Amino acid sequence: MKKHLLTLLSLLMVASFVLAACGGGAAPTAAPADTEAEDDGGVMVEPDTAQADRVQIYWYIGLGAGAQPQQIPLQREFVEKFNDSQDHIQLIMIVVDNQFARDNLTAQIAAGNAPDIVGPVGTEGRGFFPGAFLDLQPLVDQFDYDTSDIDPAFLEFYKDQGELIGLPFAIFPSAVFYNTALFDEAGLAYPPHEVGEPYVLDGAEVEWNFDTLAEVARRLTVDANGNDATSADFDSSNIVQYGFDFQWTKDSPRWFSAYFEPHYPVAADGTAELSAGQVDAIKWYYDAMWGAQPFLPTQAAMDSDLISGNSFSSGKVAMGLTHLWYTCCIDKASVPSWDVAVVPSYNGVTTAKMHGDTFAIMNTTQYPEEAFEVYSYMLGEGSADLYAIYGGLPARTSQQAAFFEGQAANFAPNVVDWDVFLRMIPYLEVPGHELVLPNIAKSHDAFLQFGSDLRSNPGLDIDARIAQFLTDLTAIYQEAQ
Amino acid sequence: MAGQSLSVPSKPRFQFKPRFRKLLPYLGISTLGLVILLLFLAPLGYMSLTAFKTIVQVRDTHSQGLPASPINFTYQGAEYPLLMVPTEDGVRELALVKPGREESDYVDPQNPEAGTFTVVGRWRTFDPVYAFDPTLDNFPTSWEQVNLGRLFRNTIFIATLGTIGTLLSSILVAYGFARFRVPGIGILFLILISTIILPRQVTLIPTYIFFRTIGWGGTWLPLIVPHFFANAYNVFLLRQYFRSIPRDLDEAATLDGATPWQVLWHVILPQSIPALIAVGLFHFFFAWNDFFEPLVYLQGREDLYTISIGMTQFNNIFNTQPGLAMAASMMAIALPLVMFFLAQRVFVQGIVVTGVEK
Amino acid sequence: MADTTQTMAAAPAKAKESKPRNNLMRREIRWGLLFLSPWLIGFLIFTLLPTLASLAFSFTNYNPLHPDQISFAGFSNYARLFTDPFFRQAIGVTLRFVAISVPFGIIIPLGLALLVNSEHLLGKNIYRALFFMPSMIPVVVNVMVWRGIMSTETGWLNRMLGVFGIQGPSWFQDENWVLPALTLMGVWGVGNAMIIMLAGLQNVPTELYDAAKVDGATGMQRFRHVTLPIISPIIFYQLVLALIGSFQYFTQAYIVSNGRGDPNGSTMFYNLYLYRTAFNFLDMGYGATLAWVMFVVVLLITIFLFRTQQRWVYYAGGE
C-alpha cells in the first residue's frame, strides 16, 4: 500500500505539473447540452445583482476616461443613484482598464455580448469600432431631446458619415500641469499662463517653446545627491525627481507629437508618413529620456516604485503636459500645490491637442429606448456628477462655470488658474491626432510598439528606427487593401 | 556529502569531536537550506511589507523595507519633515521648512520660537527621521475597488462546480479504464493520454465559436460544463490508483451479486480517498489560477469575472498603487494557501512516510 | 506509454469461448462503455471535432464580426506564415525562451529536491511545504509581486545586486532581459517539479547507494552514476512538458506586456500572438492556422524527444 501511495503521489505531482506547465490547460474541451450538462443547466450565470423585473443596461467604461482608481467608486455611486431614480432599468457598469479596453470590447462584440452604452469615449476610441454605434438622431427626435444649447458645430463634429453617434458631452483641452513646490525649490520662475507670454529664465525673457521647456525640465531633474541634469556630476542612474512627462499621453508617438505639429500620418499614395515636426517630436522625446541630460521618465522609471505609473501625481515629476481629464488623478497628499500653464510652442506655433468625449449606444443593443433613457440622464440630470468625475469641460456652455467652481472647491486650498484651459481651446490641433488610420487595430498597435521601444531601448539609431517604423506601418496600411 | 563524515577517522582523544563532526553536515546543509528558503520566500516578504505601505511610503526613495514615514514637525500650522542635518554643532534633528537646492531653511523643533534659519547643504543628501508607520487601509480599499468579494464568490463557485464535475466524470472514466475489458481499450487509453500534448489552442477557436453560437458567450458555462467530461490527467491519475487496489476485493463483491456501480461505490471509492482529495484539490487550484479561458469567455462581463482576470483588468490601479496590489494579492492567495497547508499531508507527508520505510 | 502495454498484457489473452462467458463479456463491455462514455462523448465532440473544425477554419478567412462573409481561402493562410514578420518574431521569442528557461526548469527543481531529500536537512517537511507553496499562488499575483521585486531602481533584486556592486538591469523594460526575468519568475513556481523529482529520488534503492559507497564512489560520482540514471525518466518527462508549456506560455506574457508583447515585441510569445490574431484582430482563420502549426510543432518535438530518449533515459528493468 505504501508503495502504491508513492506511485500515486508521484503521478499526482506529474499531473499537477502538467497542469502548471500547460498554464493549467485541461485538454478536452467542452460539451453542449447533454444529459450530464443538464446537471448544471440551472447554473446561475446572471449577474448576482440582477433584478428580474428590470431591463439591464450594460455601461462599458474604459475606452476613454473612467478606469482610474479614484473614479471607479464615484461611478459606482452614480450608477446607484440612477438605479434608485427609477424602477424599470437596472444600469450595470463594466470597468475595464484602459490598456485592455479596446481589445476587450472587440472580443466582446465578436462574442455577441456587447454592452449597450460605451463611454466616455473619444474620437480614437470610436474609430476602432466603425459602424458599431447607433445613430442617435431618430431617438433624439422620438424623445424630443433638447439640443438647443449645444454648439451646432459640436453636433457636426460628433457625426460619423452623417450619423449622429454621440451627443457632445465633454471636451478636454490640454495644458502643462506644474508642481509649484518643485519650482520654488529649484528657484525657477513659473511657466506662463498666456499664449505668447515669455518665460523668464536666468533673468532673461525667452520664448516659451519646447527648447525652453527642456531646459527648465533639466534643472528640475535631480539625482539622489542633489545634482540637477545640467550638472557634470549628474548621475542618471539614480534620478529621484524628473522635470517633465507627457503625462499619460506618451504611449503612442502619434499622441505627443501632435503638440509639435499635427499631421495625419498617411501620404497621398497610401504609404505611412510623418511630418518633419513629428520626427522632431520623436527625437526630442527620445533625447529627453536617453540623452546626456535626461529629464523624462523612461519605461523603467515609470514602472518603478518612485513613480508607480502616475508621474505628475507622484510629486516626483515637476511638469506634466496632458489633458484636463488629469484632474481625476492628482494625489493631493503628494502634490499639495500645483497650477497649470500654457502648452509651449514649436517653431512659433502653439498646438494644444484636444480630446472630445461622449457616450455612444451600440447598435447591437436590444433595448435602444431604455439605453437612450440612461443616455439622456447621463447628459442631462446626471451630467454634473459625471463632469466632476471625468474632469471634462461641459460641451454645453451654460454648465462650464459650475464645472470650474466644483473643480476649484475640490482642490482648495490650492489655487489653480482654470482659465488656462479655456485659453487653450482655440489652439486645438488640425487635423486631429485621433483620426482613424487604415487598418486601425494594427496600425495603432504599431504606434504603441514603437513608443514602447523608444521608452525602453537606450541604444536606438533613431533615424533608422523611424525609417523602419514607417516601412512597417506602410505594410500594415497596405494589408487592409 | 554524507561521505565526508564517514571518511574522517575519529580520534579517541577528543570525545566530543566525532559527535561534532557528525553534527557538521546537519549544520551546513540546514544553514544552506535556510538561506535558499529565505531567498525563495523573499517575494512574499516584499508582498507583505508593501501591503502595509501608503503610496507616499512606497515612493519614498529613502524608505527601508519596513513601512515607515518621516516624522513631521508642526510649525506655524503646517507640517514639515524632520531631517538629520549636519551643522557646526554636530548632526541635529531639524525640520525642513523651505527646501532649496544648495541651502534650505530649517526650524529647530527644540526651539521653534527662534524661527527659521538657513543651513548650507543639499537636503536630499540628509537622512530623514523615520518612524514605523504601517497602514491597514490597503486591505479594505482594494477589497472595495476591485470588488474582491464578488471575484471571490465567482471564483469559488466556478472552481467548486468544476471540481465536482471533474471528480464525477473522471472517477467513472478511470474506473472504466481500470477494470473493464473492452475491445480496443488500450488504444483508447493511448488516445486519452495523447490529448495531453494537444495544445488547447487547437480546439479553442471552433469551441469558442460553438459556445458563442449556442449563447454561452459571456456566461460561466464554458468554464464549468467541459469539466463534466473528464480530462486526461485526472483519469490517468485515478486509473493508476484504482489499479493498485487488489482485484480480489471487487471480484468477491461481484460474486456476492454487486453491480459495478456498487463495487465502485463500496469497494473502490472508500479506498481512494487520498487520490480523490488530490484530484479535487488540483482542479480547484487550477480553476483558481485559470486565466486564458475566463479571459476569452468572460470578456467585459465584469460581474462574472474570476480573481485572475478581475485583478488583471485593474492593471492600472495596481500599477499606480503597489500597496493596493499587494494587499489584494495577499487576500487572493489566502484561500489556496490555507487549503494547501491543510492538505499538504496528502502529498508531501505521504512521500516522507514511504521514504522512511525504505 | 509503458502503462498501456501493461494494460494489454494484463488483459487475459485467451478467454474461453463458452456461452456464459460470452454473456459475461458482453455485459462487461456494456458496463465498460457506460463508464467510459463521459470521456468518449467529450473527446468526440470537444476534442476531435473541434480539432478537425480548426483545420477547416484554417482554410477560411472567418471573422466573427462578419460571419456571413466567410469564404474559402485555400492555402493563403499558410502562405502568409512565410511572409508574416510577427509570426517569425513569435517563434523566435518562444524558442529563445525555451533555451533560457527549460534548463532552469530542470536544474533548479532537481537541486531543491536534492536539498529537501538530504538526510542532513533538519525539518525537511517544513522545507518541502514551503518550497512548494509559491507554486500554488495565482500567476497573476506572481507577476504583480515580481514586477515590484524586479523594479529597476527600487526593486529588491537590484538592490541586492547593488550590495555586490552589480548594476542590475531593467528586467521587464529591457528587451534583452525580459525573458531571463520571466524565467526567474518561473523559478518561483518549481514546487511541482521539485516534488516529482523528490518522489523520483526516493525511488532510488538505498542498496545501490550502499554498493556505490563500498566501491568508494564520492558524492558527486554517486549522483552522476546512480541518482541521475534512475531519475532520468522523470527528467525526460519534465523536458517534454516544459517544451510544450513554452509554446502555451501566455498569462505572464500577457500581463507584463500589456497584451502587446512590450517592450518592442520581445515578449510576443507564440500563444500571445495567436490570441491577438484570433481575439483582438478577429482573424480567426489565420488564428486557426497558427494553432495548427503549433500543434504540428509540438507533435514533432515530442516525437523527436521520444526518439532520442533511448540514448539517455534509463528505464529500470530495461526494454
Side-chain angles (χ1 to χ4, degrees):
Chain A
M1 191 60 213
K2 290 269 168 67
K3 196 77 189 170
H4 291 143
L5 188 64
L6 172 64
T7 319
L8 161 77
L9 289 166
S10 44
L11 288 169
L12 204 111
M13 294 310 144
V14 172
S16 67
F17 179 66
V18 177
L19 283 174
C22 304
T29 26
D34 171 275
T35 41
E36 278 196 77
E38 263 162 25
D39 291 349
D40 44 86
V43 164
M44 185 195 64
V45 289
E46 293 299 307
D48 51 6
T49 48
Q51 291 156 282
D53 54 332
R54 290 187 176 203
V55 171
Q56 271 110 40
I57 296 293
Y58 286 89
W59 171 25
Y60 190 91
I61 302 165
L63 283 177
Q68 290 303 322
Q70 294 85 343
Q71 298 170 323
I72 293 169
L74 300 173
Q75 289 167 132
R76 202 170 282 143
E77 272 171 39
F78 176 86
V79 167
E80 278 162 23
K81 200 164 154 188
F82 173 79
N83 285 337
D84 292 343
S85 75
Q86 42 74 49
D87 58 3
H88 58 285
I89 297 173
Q90 187 195 8
L91 184 61
I92 300 171
M93 70 168 194
I94 299 163
V95 185
V96 178
D97 192 278
N98 197 263
Q99 300 269 17
F100 300 102
R102 175 188 32 114
D103 293 345
N104 182 299
L105 184 59
T106 307
Q108 216 179 321
I109 294 170
N113 55 337
D116 303 286
I117 296 179
V118 173
V121 54
T123 317
E124 184 174 82
R126 293 196 299 273
F128 286 119
F129 306 97
F133 301 113
L134 200 64
D135 182 5
L136 298 178
Q137 196 60 52
L139 289 162
V140 167
D141 297 342
Q142 185 186 339
F143 288 91
D144 257 339
Y145 187 77
D146 179 24
T147 56
S148 59
D149 74 335
I150 305 176
D151 188 337
F154 276 156
L155 279 176
E156 222 28 63
F157 176 72
Y158 281 92
K159 282 190 177 169
D160 177 30
Q161 297 180 343
E163 293 189 346
L164 183 66
I165 55 173
L167 291 168
F169 169 67
I171 50 175
F172 302 95
S174 40
V176 176
F177 291 69
Y178 63 93
N179 188 324
T180 48
L182 301 186
F183 272 78
D184 292 345
E185 194 251 2
L188 287 164
Y190 297 154
H193 290 205
E194 300 272 0
V195 177
E197 193 184 322
Y199 181 77
V200 183
L201 186 66
D202 300 330
E205 288 196 346
V206 290
E207 188 190 353
W208 179 239
N209 56 25
F210 273 98
D211 291 336
T212 309
L213 180 134
E215 178 56 29
V216 175
R218 282 182 198 114
R219 298 188 190 191
L220 286 161
T221 302
V222 191
D223 69 11
N225 295 318
N227 298 307
D228 72 31
T230 61
S231 154
D233 301 328
F234 181 67
D235 175 9
S236 62
S237 67
N238 206 353
I239 299 177
V240 295
Q241 177 185 309
Y242 288 87
F244 176 76
D245 190 22
F246 288 112
Q247 174 74 44
W248 287 344
T249 56
K250 65 180 178 184
D251 287 7
S252 165
R254 197 181 169 201
W255 299 341
F256 65 77
S257 66
Y259 287 117
F260 281 60
E261 187 174 71
H263 175 76
Y264 185 65
V266 185
D269 61 354
T271 57
E273 175 190 83
L274 293 173
S275 71
Q278 283 178 309
V279 169
D280 254 13
I282 290 166
K283 289 180 175 172
W284 185 93
Y285 174 65
Y286 192 71
D287 187 62
M289 290 181 290
W290 306 109
Q293 302 182 342
F295 57 84
L296 199 153
T298 63
Q299 188 62 47
M302 289 302 294
D303 292 350
S304 73
D305 285 347
L306 180 74
I307 288 178
S308 318
N310 187 351
S311 45
F312 184 74
S313 173
S314 69
K316 317 281 185 187
V317 176
M319 291 183 278
L321 176 49
T322 189
H323 294 264
L324 179 56
W325 42 246
Y326 187 57
T327 52
C328 68
C329 305
I330 301 174
D331 178 16
K332 288 171 215 162
S334 301
V335 192
S337 59
W338 59 274
D339 205 344
V340 285
V342 296
V343 179
S345 63
Y346 170 75
N347 281 350
V349 181
T350 300
T351 313
K353 75 184 176 80
M354 173 106 95
H355 282 163
D357 274 17
T358 187
F359 299 90
I361 298 180
M362 305 228 64
N363 59 14
T364 46
T365 179
Q366 290 176 298
Y367 311 106
E369 294 183 5
E370 283 82 0
F372 191 73
E373 193 177 329
V374 177
Y375 195 95
S376 352
Y377 179 85
M378 286 171 155
L379 268 67
E381 208 178 322
S383 63
D385 294 334
L386 292 180
Y387 287 129
I389 297 173
Y390 301 127
L393 189 58
R396 289 174 196 262
T397 353
S398 55
Q399 293 175 313
Q400 291 182 350
F403 165 76
F404 281 129
E405 273 167 36
Q407 287 286 359
N410 184 22
F411 286 102
N414 182 48
V415 179
V416 176
D417 184 3
W418 298 103
D419 286 345
V420 170
F421 288 105
L422 293 176
R423 283 175 213 137
M424 294 321 303
I425 294 176
Y427 297 92
L428 66 86
E429 84 284 17
V430 181
H433 68 288
E434 295 191 310
L435 290 178
V436 181
L437 297 174
N439 204 356
I440 180 67
K442 287 186 183 174
S443 48
H444 182 67
D445 246 44
F447 269 103
L448 292 176
Q449 265 204 11
F450 180 37
S452 140
D453 200 19
L454 293 174
R455 285 194 305 283
S456 40
N457 197 336
L460 287 180
D461 171 353
I462 192 73
D463 288 307
R465 184 66 181 87
I466 291 172
Q468 174 65 43
F469 168 68
L470 288 173
T471 312
D472 294 349
L473 193 58
T474 301
I476 289 170
Y477 288 169
Q478 281 162 354
E479 189 189 295
Q481 287 154 13
Chain B
M1 286 156 230
Q4 292 171 345
S5 60
L6 283 170
S7 59
V8 174
S10 55
K11 291 177 186 170
R13 257 171 58 201
F14 300 104
Q15 285 292 318
F16 64 90
K17 207 163 183 187
R19 206 175 295 165
F20 179 70
R21 287 269 177 188
K22 263 189 188 162
L23 276 178
L24 201 63
Y26 285 98
L27 211 67
I29 296 283
S30 296
T31 317
L32 178 73
L34 197 67
V35 170
I36 296 178
L37 186 68
L38 285 180
L39 284 178
F40 200 72
L41 296 184
L44 289 177
Y46 168 82
M47 175 169 77
S48 331
L49 290 179
T50 310
F52 293 100
K53 285 184 182 177
T54 64
I55 182 70
V56 176
Q57 288 169 340
V58 168
R59 285 172 182 153
D60 190 335
T61 40
H62 282 278
S63 94
Q64 309 89 332
L66 290 176
S69 297
I71 297 175
N72 284 333
F73 174 70
T74 310
Y75 175 67
Q76 295 183 342
E79 297 212 319
Y80 301 102
L82 284 183
L83 299 183
M84 304 290 286
V85 185
T87 62
E88 305 91 79
D89 327 322
V91 177
R92 290 165 64 195
E93 280 188 19
L94 300 177
L96 176 66
V97 175
K98 188 170 174 295
R101 279 291 160 80
E102 304 297 337
E103 51 178 53
S104 309
D105 292 350
Y106 298 86
V107 67
D108 185 353
Q110 312 295 334
N111 186 15
E113 297 78 25
T116 62
F117 52 92
T118 306
V119 178
V120 176
R122 295 175 170 179
W123 64 271
R124 280 191 176 85
T125 59
F126 304 155
D127 284 330
V129 184
Y130 279 107
F132 182 63
D133 181 25
T135 174
L136 286 173
D137 292 348
N138 290 328
F139 291 89
T141 312
S142 61
W143 183 273
E144 258 304 294
Q145 287 211 345
V146 300
N147 221 328
L148 261 183
R150 186 169 66 195
L151 296 180
F152 267 110
R153 279 203 304 281
N154 292 350
T155 316
I156 291 175
F157 188 82
I158 294 172
T160 309
L161 273 182
T163 304
I164 294 170
T166 201
L167 270 178
L168 284 180
S169 56
S170 300
I171 287 172
L172 297 182
V173 176
Y175 182 50
F177 273 118
R179 284 292 195 263
F180 295 87
R181 281 160 298 192
V182 175
I185 198 162
I187 297 189
L188 284 180
F189 191 70
L190 200 65
I191 294 175
L192 173 88
I193 294 306
S194 61
T195 58
I196 290 180
I197 70 148
L198 177 80
R200 65 183 157 156
Q201 285 70 22
V202 176
T203 55
L204 179 73
I205 290 173
T207 316
Y208 171 80
I209 294 168
F210 170 67
F211 282 139
R212 208 193 118 204
T213 315
I214 62 170
W216 287 9
T219 76
W220 287 336
L221 293 171
L223 306 178
I224 297 170
V225 176
H227 298 298
F228 280 79
F229 291 87
N231 79 64
Y233 315 110
N234 296 338
V235 169
F236 180 63
L237 186 73
L238 290 176
R239 168 185 174 268
Q240 295 304 99
Y241 198 86
F242 291 169
R243 277 161 56 96
S244 73
I245 298 169
R247 228 168 221 277
D248 316 359
L249 288 175
D250 36 319
E251 268 164 17
T254 311
L255 285 180
D256 290 347
T259 65
W261 285 113
Q262 287 163 328
V263 171
L264 175 64
W265 185 250
H266 294 290
V267 180
I268 305 282
L269 290 187
Q271 298 194 58
S272 312
I273 302 292
L276 300 181
I277 290 177
V279 167
L281 276 180
F282 279 123
H283 183 84
F284 194 90
F285 293 146
F286 155 73
W288 196 266
N289 286 328
D290 194 17
F291 184 80
F292 197 84
E293 298 199 343
L295 180 74
V296 170
Y297 289 113
L298 301 181
Q299 287 287 3
R301 279 289 173 258
E302 197 200 352
D303 41 352
L304 302 179
Y305 281 172
T306 61
I307 291 207
S308 288
I309 47 167
M311 288 179 55
T312 318
Q313 300 292 9
F314 291 98
N315 191 42
N316 235 325
I317 293 188
F318 288 138
N319 255 347
T320 55
Q321 313 257 353
L324 290 188
M326 292 304 119
S329 299
M330 278 181 84
M331 293 189 276
I333 66 173
L335 185 66
L337 284 193
V338 167
M339 287 174 73
F340 165 67
F341 277 107
L342 290 180
Q344 56 142 324
R345 245 193 254 157
V346 177
F347 25 96
V348 182
Q349 211 181 26
I351 292 169
V352 176
V353 171
T354 341
V356 167
E357 179 209 32
K358 269 204 303 257
Chain C
M1 306 298 122
D3 294 283
T4 320
T5 43
Q6 276 173 28
T7 317
M8 292 191 281
K14 33 185 179 165
K16 279 172 198 149
E17 294 293 319
S18 64
K19 254 211 172 124
R21 189 76 189 174
N22 251 341
N23 272 342
L24 212 64
M25 271 179 70
R26 230 176 280 144
R27 202 175 101 96
E28 186 170 341
I29 291 171
R30 262 206 312 278
W31 275 106
L33 286 176
L34 178 71
F35 283 119
L36 294 184
S37 61
W39 176 71
L40 286 175
I41 295 168
F43 173 73
L44 199 71
I45 308 176
F46 317 116
T47 304
L48 192 60
L49 289 182
T51 306
L52 296 177
S54 182
L55 185 61
F57 272 120
S58 71
F59 293 102
T60 68
N61 60 356
Y62 182 71
N63 176 330
L65 281 188
H66 312 285
D68 43 320
Q69 290 171 15
I70 186 169
S71 69
F72 183 69
F75 281 92
S76 65
N77 283 328
Y78 289 89
R80 234 173 109 182
L81 293 171
F82 295 98
T83 57
D84 180 358
F86 299 106
F87 170 73
R88 276 200 298 276
Q89 183 182 44
I91 292 268
V93 168
T94 306
L95 291 182
R96 224 173 304 149
F97 186 65
V98 165
I100 299 170
S101 72
V102 169
F104 275 90
I106 306 271
I107 293 167
I108 297 214
L110 183 58
L112 289 181
L114 286 172
L115 175 72
V116 298
N117 191 41
S118 164
E119 53 183 316
H120 297 300
L121 185 70
L122 303 170
K124 273 185 260 194
N125 282 350
I126 301 169
Y127 279 91
R128 288 170 188 178
L130 289 179
F131 278 126
F132 185 78
M133 186 178 72
S135 63
M136 290 288 101
I137 292 175
V139 179
V140 177
V141 173
N142 197 327
V143 177
M144 284 175 178
V145 173
W146 281 91
R147 262 211 285 211
I149 296 273
M150 294 190 179
S151 169
T152 314
E153 275 149 37
T154 48
W156 285 17
L157 182 59
N158 279 4
R159 284 190 187 192
M160 204 173 79
L161 291 175
V163 171
F164 299 105
I166 303 167
Q167 164 97 49
S170 300
W171 296 95
F172 286 124
Q173 294 82 23
D174 184 331
E175 52 184 301
N176 299 315
W177 281 101
V178 65
L179 294 183
L182 290 172
T183 302
L184 210 53
M185 205 165 88
V187 166
W188 216 31
V190 295
N192 276 305
M194 176 195 79
I195 296 282
I196 306 169
M197 300 258 191
L198 179 62
L201 287 178
Q202 298 195 329
N203 257 342
V204 180
T206 4
E207 308 88 66
L208 283 182
Y209 277 130
D210 296 340
K213 261 184 210 168
V214 170
D215 291 349
T218 65
M220 199 56 216
Q221 284 168 329
R222 285 205 305 277
F223 174 72
R224 178 131 169 40
H225 297 292
V226 179
T227 316
L228 264 188
I230 293 207
I231 61 166
S232 62
I234 291 179
I235 295 181
F236 170 74
Y237 197 54
Q238 300 274 26
L239 187 65
V240 173
L241 293 176
L243 285 168
I244 297 175
S246 300
F247 268 86
Q248 307 203 348
Y249 197 76
F250 179 80
T251 313
Q252 295 89 331
Y254 181 83
I255 301 171
V256 299
S257 76
N258 301 319
R260 277 198 308 269
D262 287 349
N264 196 31
S266 57
T267 55
M268 187 54 84
F269 281 83
Y270 193 91
N271 198 11
L272 182 57
Y273 182 53
L274 192 161
Y275 171 81
R276 284 187 74 70
T277 304
F279 295 96
N280 295 156
F281 303 142
L282 299 180
D283 200 345
M284 296 228 166
Y286 191 46
T289 311
L290 290 171
W292 258 84
V293 169
M294 181 205 273
F295 181 33
V296 172
V297 169
V298 165
L299 197 67
L300 289 179
I301 289 176
T302 314
I303 292 172
F304 172 76
L305 284 175
F306 270 96
R307 280 274 168 83
T308 61
Q309 65 166 330
Q310 305 105 303
R311 299 220 190 126
W312 60 279
V313 179
Y314 168 83
Y315 286 105
E319 278 98 323

